[in-house]
Amino acid sequence: MFVEFEYEPLIEDFYGNGEMRVESVLKILENAGNKHSDLAGNHNLEGSSNGMAWILTDWYVEMDFLPRYGSKIKAKTWSQGATSIFGTSRDFEFYCDGKICGKGTTRWVLYDIQSSRPKKIEKDLIERYGPESVSVFGDAKLPKIAVPESFTDEITLRPRRNDIDFNSHVHNLVYLDYAMEVLPEDLYRKHDFKKIRINYKAGVKEDEEILVRHAEVDGEHIVCIFGTDGSLKTSIKIS
């Protein structure tokens, strides 16, 4: 089942130069996936209240170019079906004025909230999504994110109330906002990011202080988010 999601961009989706924020690209793709879940009768809010949740483990998005203000935006998404007994994947295509301008993929694990353990994905649940044997990146593995030996920039943050989602932890898209906060001013102001790779290790909860660190490695920017105990929460690579 291929699902299309048309999005009417808002003024806050753009930088001052009229180019779409990469944070908004991920938001649009996320909402396309949520529409697919609704059509499959697997509503995220309902599932969470029943003790079951889809936990996002990975993002990878490549944009050829970012849409400009006034463009017509559409996302296309589909599920690839079960990739393991606990996991599945979802792919995306991003369109601007009828032309494909980006692609992406995500990885998910079904999670039992009560036991705090992965949950086996039943065949009938996957079939409701109408899986397609199509991959935007072929058989290529997701790029790895190696934790740098040292960092050049560092900030300490505490999540705001609005950062917490219906699963009681920081919403997955907010981690990219944290990454943008730690970047040097001149780098952030260039707004020149076309590739986003995120790997989630552990969720950040309300009132949990975190350490956000940045380093440039071989022309790519690595941001690692740590708990105060030194545990790695999330790794992000942007370029």
Side-chain angles (χ1 to χ4, degrees), residues 187-219:
L187 176 62
Y188 173 75
R189 292 299 173 188
K190 289 180 181 178
H191 308 312
D192 189 26
F193 304 119
K194 302 294 190 301
K195 293 182 181 179
I196 304 292
R197 172 77 174 96
I198 307 176
N199 176 238
Y200 304 94
K201 297 291 187 181
V204 175
K205 297 182 179 180
E206 190 172 6
D207 292 329
E208 181 179 1
E209 192 172 78
I210 54 174
L211 194 61
V212 187
R213 294 172 168 171
H214 161 258
E216 183 176 353
V217 181
D218 297 330

Side-chain angles (χ1 to χ4, degrees), residues 84-112:
S84 70
I85 61 173
F86 303 121
T88 185
S89 60
R90 169 179 297 284
D91 277 15
F92 302 90
E93 291 176 344
F94 196 100
Y95 291 83
C96 172
D97 294 328
K99 179 180 179 181
I100 187 169
C101 64
K103 57 186 179 181
T105 190
T106 49
R107 302 288 184 266
W108 301 82
V109 171
L110 190 61
Y111 200 73
D112 187 311

Side-chain angles (χ1 to χ4, degrees), residues 42 44 51-59 79 81-90 106-113 115-122 125-126 129 167 169 199-201:
N42 186 218
N44 288 321
M52 182 184 74
W54 287 106
I55 301 297
L56 180 63
T57 63
D58 293 275
W59 267 109
S79 169
T83 53
S84 70
I85 61 173
F86 303 121
T88 185
S89 60
R90 169 179 297 284
T106 49
R107 302 288 184 266
W108 301 82
V109 171
L110 190 61
Y111 200 73
D112 187 311
I113 298 174
S115 66
S116 298
R117 296 176 63 87
K119 180 179 176 63
K120 180 181 178 181
I121 303 174
E122 300 296 338
L125 176 58
I126 286 295
Y129 281 86
N167 284 322
H169 55 64
N199 176 238
Y200 304 94
K201 297 291 187 181

Side-chain angles (χ1 to χ4, degrees), residues 85-181:
I85 61 173
F86 303 121
T88 185
S89 60
R90 169 179 297 284
D91 277 15
F92 302 90
E93 291 176 344
F94 196 100
Y95 291 83
C96 172
D97 294 328
K99 179 180 179 181
I100 187 169
C101 64
K103 57 186 179 181
T105 190
T106 49
R107 302 288 184 266
W108 301 82
V109 171
L110 190 61
Y111 200 73
D112 187 311
I113 298 174
Q114 299 300 320
S115 66
S116 298
R117 296 176 63 87
K119 180 179 176 63
K120 180 181 178 181
I121 303 174
E122 300 296 338
K123 183 179 179 181
D124 66 322
L125 176 58
I126 286 295
E127 289 179 344
R128 284 155 61 183
Y129 281 86
E132 303 285 349
S133 57
V134 179
S135 173
V136 293
F137 295 114
D139 295 329
K141 294 183 179 180
L142 297 184
K144 293 183 178 181
I145 307 176
V147 177
E149 295 182 0
S150 61
F151 297 88
T152 55
D153 305 279
E154 178 179 301
I155 59 172
T156 300
L157 292 175
R158 189 178 294 275
R160 303 168 304 171
R161 291 175 180 175
N162 270 354
D163 294 343
I164 307 300
D165 66 11
F166 58 89
N167 284 322
S168 300
H169 55 64
V170 171
H171 187 63
N172 73 83
L173 299 186
V174 177
Y175 293 88
L176 183 57
D177 292 339
Y178 295 163
M180 294 297 175
E181 284 295 314

